[in-house]
Amino acid sequence: MTPNIAAAKAALSHLDIEENTAAIKSKSRDFFWYSPVLKARLDGVVADFVVSPRNEGEVIEVLKTCYAHDVPVTTRGAGTGNYGQAMPLAGGCVMHLRHMSAVRDIQPGRVIVEPGCLLKDLDAACKDHSGQEIRMFSSTWATATIGGFIAGGSGGVGSCTWGSLRDLGNIIRLRVVTMEEEPRVLEFQGEELARVSHAYGTNGIITEIEMPLAPAYEWIEMFVATDDFMDAARFAEELANEDGILIKLATVFEAPIAKDYFQRVAPHVESGTNLIGLMVAPHSMDGFATFLGRRPGARLIYRSDASDWDRGPGMVFEYGWNHTTLRALKVDPSITYLQVRYGFPQHLPLIEQMREALSPEVLQHLEVLKEGGKVMFAGLSLVKFTSEARLDEIVKIHEEAGAMVFNPHRYTLEEGGRQTVDDRQLAFKREADPKGLLNPGKMIAWDDPDWAFDEMYAYPKIRAAE
Amino acid sequence: MTPNIAAAKAALSHLDIEENTAAIKSKSRDFFWYSPVLKARLDGVVADFVVSPRNEGEVIEVLKTCYAHDVPVTTRGAGTGNYGQAMPLAGGCVMHLRHMSAVRDIQPGRVIVEPGCLLKDLDAACKDHSGQEIRMFSSTWATATIGGFIAGGSGGVGSCTWGSLRDLGNIIRLRVVTMEEEPRVLEFQGEELARVSHAYGTNGIITEIEMPLAPAYEWIEMFVATDDFMDAARFAEELANEDGILIKLATVFEAPIAKDYFQRVAPHVESGTNLIGLMVAPHSMDGFATFLGRRPGARLIYRSDASDWDRGPGMVFEYGWNHTTLRALKVDPSITYLQVRYGFPQHLPLIEQMREALSPEVLQHLEVLKEGGKVMFAGLSLVKFTSEARLDEIVKIHEEAGAMVFNPHRYTLEEGGRQTVDDRQLAFKREADPKGLLNPGKMIAWDDPDWAFDEMYAYPKIRAAE
């Protein structure tokens, strides 16, 4: 099965095809370079061509044509993922969905949108229409697409209230095109959603999305400082457990993250300052003030509606989730990160244990997350990278203590997830992508069903630029 | 200190004063008769006169005048409380706030309203204005007032998501008039709110309320049936723990409550049917359908948007909270109830234990409630009343097992609450009601600071109609 790139390109030449080599290279990349491990392996990966369909009909045409010519297709939104989700490991076609960005319908509590719509544009449309917004978004809200968030993300700002994307009710419907001789268009709801959400586009291409909405408020963004790290963690947890106080973000940064990596915050904190980033609904600010007043060790140092800082910090959520690592990386290129699950009810002792074992080599960055109705933490810990061996060791220390790691130094679905095959995704790939052309190399279960997960998986057909 | 009723009436004669004896008697009563214990003690209680001020100025005039003439003042909204909250134990003046019902201002996430506004009118105004509604309401939504809910209630429909009224953020601001020689008008926020919320009007009169709002949706009301009771309880808990499914009500009725007491539901269930009453946001119905599909033992027998019942059941929330007891009472006058707290994480075992010990003398009626971020249950158990001694024994069985009882067969704040003095409320009463004229007999700490709580408190100055 040798891809006939030239034939596919020729057949698609009436579409929006990128010819410029530099542009092809740039559109073949996502944010994999957060990871030195992925950087070492994926830096040269490049597609043969990039096509940007304008509508579902053109998506079907791309998939049908590439199917006919055995050309791999890796689909992307803005390419802000950190797991190499959108890296075209086998080359071929990158399908860029930027033209498919229409917001089709907004109703109370729900929106229908095309996958290429930027999260910020989607929110703007919903707010403008009826004072609504999406329940959760990645910290790359300003640049990422809703389709990329669903296909490659798991949760984010808002997950402290609404849980994760995979939780029932957080995606209503997905319209999906298969990659077959005659592509089919399917509508997924309920149990079927799990087939293609967070599947990196390995088994179908999402062309329409129906999502629930929440009311849009003028969120008050804040920074709160504490001297003690566990005080900060408890503050965030206890605030999230206040059922009457509506929040959208509660993120905790171990000292000296704020001083060392948050340039506009640095003048207002010391090296020993632990920081909490918050988004609170305006009508919950009275309740928040009471909550804060009960904790004399916590100091409110910034609020977006009444700032006395010479230079404002920008959006507070752009310090949280994956932006924390981005800010640290910009100051110290040797920083990388982990994604850890600190599950209820062991979350606080586990965090304390990891911190005692690993700080300051690993600095705690926590995000409040709801799972199964309980407040817990996702850890997007900052790691001072020394070697792959040491990084693996750090992962192992977490896992042995009982903290699950979603390893962001792996590019497969399984290794970046729970290290097990998702049978629903695999079964649907058999049906929807019989030639295995969709985002190849990302699903171990497809390529190597007997893989033992005892070392990092290396996709044998990985193709780097010459 | 003898009240000079005639002088007070004369001084207030230019206000809206009720002169009709039957009307005075009717406006001197609340729903205390849910309890045979309270019925035996309060049935003859009656005020001397009823005054309905039109604005805060007239409230001040009533309080100032009654202060001058040593006349007790018991304030009421619609009188739908079940703890005798609005019963004028010492006679005197009943101040009825029905004229003070203006909705003053609606903003995103908040409303300012006068206390006499009916919950349903408040919701209608907020929905009409901007698609909003109050976060929680009592099952007496159609008849009760917002002021009465705050002064006499604790939570209700919506508490499965937002917690209780006392939780931070669920009341924003209260404006309060004191009963002194020169009444003062105070504005309470934050920690101060606890002084007068759920204080039965014993230490100040609320004249304006600022509350948070939530988005108003066309809630889908449903009944789900199960054969096993604990399956029903787990269904409600697990649904409430689904962070992505937005609900407003999850209530559980042990068999044969539905068959015996819910007349319009009875044709659709058997005696052995346990019932779950639900309100789910329309955009969460897909997630709910998935949740339901995973539980083959649970049968959806009614949904308000697609009913095939000849006679609809009306609003499902009017089967929950205190309406369950009301419906049972109408069929069997010997039924009364308890209010129980089944706290996380012992709630399910505790419920099972109480049911094994007491069913069918005590039938479980559970309401999902959030407390401290955790899903738990309030029990508004139906009790087949035989004697006061047995009722006390049933209360004791609950307490000894670790289930706190908010005894609805007592008319004092302490006995109906946590059986301890609320120092904030007592301290504020000293300041705001120096003569002890506001709703007398309801705060033991004021009347008898050394009371030992070893028997039911009997207010010595209780005055029955002759």
Side-chain angles (χ1 to χ4, degrees), chain A residues 109-110 135 162 168-170 172 189-191 215 241 243-245 282-283 286 290 294 344 370-374, chain B residues 109-110 135 162 168-170 172 189-191 215 241-245 282-283 286 290 294 344 370-374:
Chain A
R110 64 178 83 207
R135 286 178 168 181
W162 297 105
L168 293 183
N170 283 331
I172 295 176
Q189 283 179 278
E191 301 289 2
N241 274 322
D243 301 300
I245 298 180
H283 52 287
D286 288 283
T290 311
R294 292 178 183 174
F344 177 88
K370 279 231 180 128
E371 189 182 290
K374 307 296 184 300
Chain B
R110 63 178 84 208
R135 286 177 169 182
W162 296 104
L168 293 181
N170 283 332
I172 295 176
Q189 283 178 278
E191 301 289 4
N241 274 322
E242 287 288 347
D243 301 302
I245 298 181
H283 53 287
D286 288 284
T290 311
R294 291 177 184 175
F344 178 89
K370 279 232 181 128
E371 189 183 289
K374 306 296 185 298

Side-chain angles (χ1 to χ4, degrees), chain A residues 4-274:
Chain A
N4 188 340
I5 301 290
K9 268 183 78 172
L12 298 172
S13 61
H14 58 294
L15 304 187
D16 177 7
I17 289 200
E18 182 62 70
E19 301 282 358
N20 180 287
T21 310
I24 292 174
K25 182 157 172 81
S26 125
K27 287 176 182 164
S28 297
R29 295 167 73 82
D30 62 16
F31 283 18
F32 69 95
W33 44 265
Y34 269 46
S35 160
V37 179
L38 298 187
K39 195 165 170 25
R41 285 157 181 80
L42 307 185
D43 210 26
V45 163
V46 67
D48 293 291
F49 65 96
V50 177
V51 60
S52 302
R54 288 181 183 82
N55 51 51
E56 189 181 83
E58 292 189 1
V59 169
I60 292 170
E61 195 176 346
V62 170
L63 295 175
K64 184 181 161 89
T65 303
C66 288
Y67 180 91
H69 298 291
D70 299 328
V71 174
V73 176
T74 299
T75 307
R76 61 175 275 150
T80 55
N82 310 111
Y83 285 76
Q85 292 99 320
M87 298 298 289
L89 300 188
C93 169
V94 158
M95 183 161 65
H96 198 305
L97 296 185
R98 65 197 165 124
H99 293 320
M100 293 177 63
S101 62
V103 179
R104 292 218 172 116
D105 187 40
I106 303 171
Q107 298 290 336
R110 64 178 83 207
V111 63
I112 298 174
V113 62
E114 289 187 325
C117 185
L118 297 188
L119 296 170
K120 76 166 178 183
D121 293 341
L122 177 54
D123 266 356
C126 294
K127 188 166 183 175
D128 188 50
H129 175 276
S130 44
Q132 300 186 91
E133 64 186 24
I134 49 175
R135 286 178 168 181
M136 65 190 76
F137 56 77
S138 56
S139 65
T140 49
W141 175 79
T143 54
T145 66
I146 182 69
F149 184 44
I150 288 172
S154 60
V157 182
S159 289
C160 56
T161 295
W162 297 105
S164 301
L165 278 171
R166 72 175 153 269
D167 289 328
L168 293 183
N170 283 331
I171 303 171
I172 295 176
R173 183 177 56 85
L174 296 173
R175 189 173 164 96
V176 175
V177 178
T178 65
M179 190 172 188
E180 302 171 86
E181 187 171 353
E182 293 298 333
R184 289 172 292 154
V185 179
L186 305 169
E187 297 273 356
F188 286 169
Q189 283 179 278
E191 301 289 2
E192 295 166 339
L193 293 168
R195 294 179 180 175
V196 292
S197 56
H198 200 79
Y200 297 1
T202 55
N203 56 10
I205 305 309
I206 298 166
T207 55
E208 188 177 271
I209 294 157
E210 186 169 348
M211 294 286 279
L213 296 175
Y217 295 115
E218 298 295 329
W219 300 96
I220 310 299
E221 301 204 323
M222 292 179 279
F223 284 124
V224 171
T226 72
D227 295 328
D228 180 75
F229 173 73
M230 289 307 293
D231 279 353
R234 278 186 293 267
F235 184 105
E237 177 181 28
E238 288 163 11
L239 180 62
N241 274 322
E242 287 287 346
D243 301 300
I245 298 180
L246 182 61
I247 65 172
K248 186 140 182 167
L249 178 75
T251 171
V252 180
F253 310 103
E254 181 179 352
I257 292 174
K259 188 69 178 178
D260 286 358
Y261 304 132
F262 297 169
Q263 288 175 312
R264 295 201 185 178
V265 179
H268 307 279
V269 295
E270 306 300 321
S271 276
T273 305
N274 301 281

